[in-house]
Amino acid sequence: MNIKHISGLVVSFALLQHAAFAQKDTLKQETIDIISKYQPRLRDAAKLNLTASLPAIDTSRPRLGYQVPALNLYFMYQPVPIRPLALGKDTSSLQMQNNYIKLGYGNYQTPLVQAGFGTGRNDKYNLGVFFNYTSSKGDIENQDYTAINVLGSGTYYSPLLEFNASLGYNRNQVHYYGYDHTLYQFDKSDVNQAFNEVIAKFGAKNRPQNDWAFQFNPQAEFIIFGDAYKRLENTFVLKAPIRKQLFEDIWIKAEGIADLSTFKEDNSEAINNNVAAIHPALEITKPGFMLHAGANPTWANGKFYLLPDIVNESHLIRKKLILSSGWISYIEKNNFRNLANQNPFFNNYNGDILNTRREEKYTGIKGTLGSHLSYNTKFAAVTWFNLPLFVNDSTDGKTFYTRNEEELRAFQVHAEVGYIQEEKFQARVSVDWYNFTKQATEVKPWHMLPFQANLFAQYSFGKNFHVNANLYTLNGSYYRLDNTNDFGKTKSVQDLNAGATYNIGKNFNLWATANNIFSSKYQRWYGYPSYGFNVVGGITIKF
């Protein structure tokens, strides 16, 4: 069976192959001519229009189960329970140096002992004590000087009031050495003069809780002043200023003053010198403008004066150019203590001495330039009524008495320029010039200084070394010769003072001061030349 099938297939394949060969030989070759380009074109697609829609909201809530394995931690530290604590105490005051001792010595046999002790900053009270002692012995016979000052003061703070009090003692010992040493010879006891003074002050002021509150600050002062010739003067001064804000930029002020003095010499009749005044005023303060408008009604030894008290400041250029003008007048009390403080060689006080009324009409400009430079000028017409002028005693010239000038007029020019650069450098120059234009009684304004200028500079080299210098110029003044109208004039002077301080740690510093470096023997009061060149140096201890 199989052999037959295979034979059939072989025969069929041979026949097909023969037929194909015969067909190939009989076909003719043909050519095809293309008469146009073939442009294929796609069939239009069928588009489906679909509309989007949100799936249905699944409102079923899945139930999720969490299995957190337990973790046990064990600590050795047990936390302290939280408790409220008080605010920590301010210990900055413990670092402050509230006490110091200053010791020094210089030529002219000049010792210096100075000390100050204080309690430091305290919320309830502050207490302090100050002591000063110095003396000098000059080249001229009896040119000796001694000064002792002791002061204790304190302040107590209550929630509503602040109380302050102080008690001081001052002793200034001088000698009348202004006589002609070729003609006169005096023992030291004959020319000795010592002024002793005890001052007690008491005051109180309220501590308002806001700017609109009523403010007051009464102060009382008791003064006992005497000298080596058993002359004694008691003075009581009471000041009671009050202040109230009416509107945001308007204040009303008033101050009552009572200044009562009684002078007694040996068995002579007592001399009373009493001055009382009331100073009502209205103050208006706005940005770039200030007006103080008030009056000064004053009673001096039974005589009434209605005096002006008007001051205005207008900013022409904010803080850089300020126009300052005013018309003021006040009483200068000429009691024994005030005259002796002006001239320690004054030695003849009597009841004929009148109080001085001073009147000023002035204008000027002031302001600041940048953050370091400031300036101030003043041009004033000044008048003194009943001004006591010091003249030398005609006997030996070593003491002074006063002559009354009924009216003295002058034109004043004051100029001041200052520069400050933080704590490193500062400088200041000031000039005062008086042109005396009219005198009603005296020939010249005896011992009135017509011109004085001062140049001060201070520089710090780091934090430890500080230097300063003070150059000053004083013009001469007129003095009266004997009992005549003849006069002379003291010489002008220019001199220099300088000082330096070097800090050694926090508790010590070395210091030195040199005065009258040019050694000018200037006579502020005729017959009394000043000390020459002198140097004082020492150490300061702070703790």
Side-chain angles (χ1 to χ4, degrees), residues 133-136 144-148 171-175 531:
Y133 170 81
T134 186
S135 64
S136 293
D144 302 340
Y145 169 77
T146 302
I148 300 175
R171 177 179 174 85
N172 294 294
Q173 185 176 14
V174 297
H175 294 82
Y531 291 96

Side-chain angles (χ1 to χ4, degrees), residues 24-56:
K24 179 177 180 183
D25 293 340
T26 60
L27 290 178
K28 297 181 180 181
Q29 295 182 351
E30 296 180 358
T31 60
I32 299 174
D33 296 330
I34 299 174
I35 59 177
S36 65
K37 292 183 179 180
Y38 173 71
Q39 297 179 351
R41 186 177 60 184
L42 297 176
R43 183 180 179 181
D44 294 336
K47 297 182 179 180
L48 299 177
N49 294 326
L50 302 176
T51 302
S53 61
L54 295 175

Side-chain angles (χ1 to χ4, degrees), residues 284-299:
I284 302 175
T285 303
K286 294 179 178 292
F289 178 82
M290 189 281 292
L291 175 63
H292 174 94
N296 188 4
T298 305
W299 294 262

Side-chain angles (χ1 to χ4, degrees), residues 166-447:
S166 65
L167 180 63
Y169 170 75
N170 302 310
R171 177 179 174 85
N172 294 294
Q173 185 176 14
V174 297
H175 294 82
Y176 300 129
Y177 65 92
Y179 54 89
D180 189 343
H181 291 262
T182 61
L183 298 177
Y184 303 99
Q185 186 72 28
F186 294 99
D187 294 333
K188 187 175 290 292
S189 59
D190 296 332
V191 295
N192 177 56
Q193 172 64 294
F195 298 103
N196 295 281
E197 180 181 52
V198 178
I199 303 176
K201 295 181 180 180
F202 304 92
K205 67 177 181 179
N206 65 329
R207 306 177 69 182
Q209 304 302 317
N210 56 74
D211 295 336
W212 296 84
F214 184 79
Q215 303 177 27
F216 63 90
N217 184 16
Q219 296 179 353
E221 185 175 3
F222 303 88
I223 305 172
I224 302 175
F225 185 80
D227 69 351
Y229 295 90
K230 298 181 180 180
R231 287 174 286 204
L232 187 65
E233 182 179 72
N234 298 321
T235 301
F236 171 73
V237 180
L238 177 63
K239 298 180 180 180
I242 57 176
R243 186 173 185 263
K244 180 69 173 69
Q245 185 173 5
L246 301 179
F247 302 99
E248 185 177 359
D249 49 11
I250 298 179
W251 288 262
I252 185 172
K253 301 173 62 178
E255 182 179 17
I257 299 177
D259 190 340
L260 314 176
S261 298
T262 300
F263 174 81
K264 182 71 173 177
E265 183 177 5
D266 294 332
N267 296 324
S268 60
E269 186 177 355
I271 300 175
N272 296 321
N273 190 348
N274 302 324
V275 177
I278 301 175
H279 301 159
L282 180 69
E283 284 190 357
I284 302 175
T285 303
K286 294 179 178 292
F289 178 82
M290 189 281 292
L291 175 63
H292 174 94
N296 188 4
T298 305
W299 294 262
N301 296 324
K303 189 174 182 179
F304 176 75
Y305 301 91
L306 183 59
L307 307 177
D309 183 19
I310 302 173
V311 177
N312 170 252
E313 290 185 0
S314 300
H315 292 242
L316 305 180
I317 301 177
R318 183 66 173 169
K319 294 184 179 181
K320 296 182 179 180
L321 183 62
I322 305 172
L323 177 64
S324 177
S325 304
W327 180 22
I328 60 175
S329 184
Y330 51 91
I331 297 295
E332 294 179 342
K333 187 174 179 180
N334 295 320
N335 59 339
F336 178 56
R337 174 175 175 262
N338 292 344
L339 293 176
N341 286 333
Q342 293 182 45
N343 185 351
F345 310 108
F346 169 68
N347 194 37
N348 187 11
Y349 185 79
N350 54 64
D352 296 332
I353 297 178
L354 304 176
N355 294 322
T356 301
R357 176 166 65 93
R358 177 168 177 163
E359 182 177 340
E360 293 186 20
K361 300 175 182 178
Y362 67 89
T363 187
I365 58 174
K366 63 180 181 179
T368 59
L369 300 176
S371 58
H372 302 288
L373 188 66
S374 63
Y375 67 94
N376 184 17
T377 62
K378 177 182 176 182
F379 307 92
V382 186
T383 304
W384 294 269
F385 298 94
N386 296 319
L387 176 66
L389 300 176
F390 294 98
V391 296
N392 293 81
D393 184 5
S394 59
T395 304
D396 49 31
K398 70 177 184 298
T399 60
F400 289 82
Y401 67 100
T402 60
R403 293 177 63 88
N404 183 62
E405 173 58 64
E406 294 181 358
E407 183 179 352
L408 175 62
R409 295 179 180 270
F411 176 73
Q412 179 194 9
V413 175
H414 171 79
E416 182 176 344
V417 178
Y419 179 87
I420 183 170
Q421 183 180 358
E422 298 177 348
E423 298 181 356
K424 184 175 183 180
F425 174 73
Q426 60 176 310
R428 181 182 66 255
V429 58
S430 61
V431 176
D432 281 288
W433 174 66
Y434 287 91
N435 181 25
F436 299 104
T437 58
K438 178 183 177 181
Q439 292 182 235
T441 309
E442 296 297 314
V443 178
K444 294 292 181 180
W446 312 123
H447 287 101

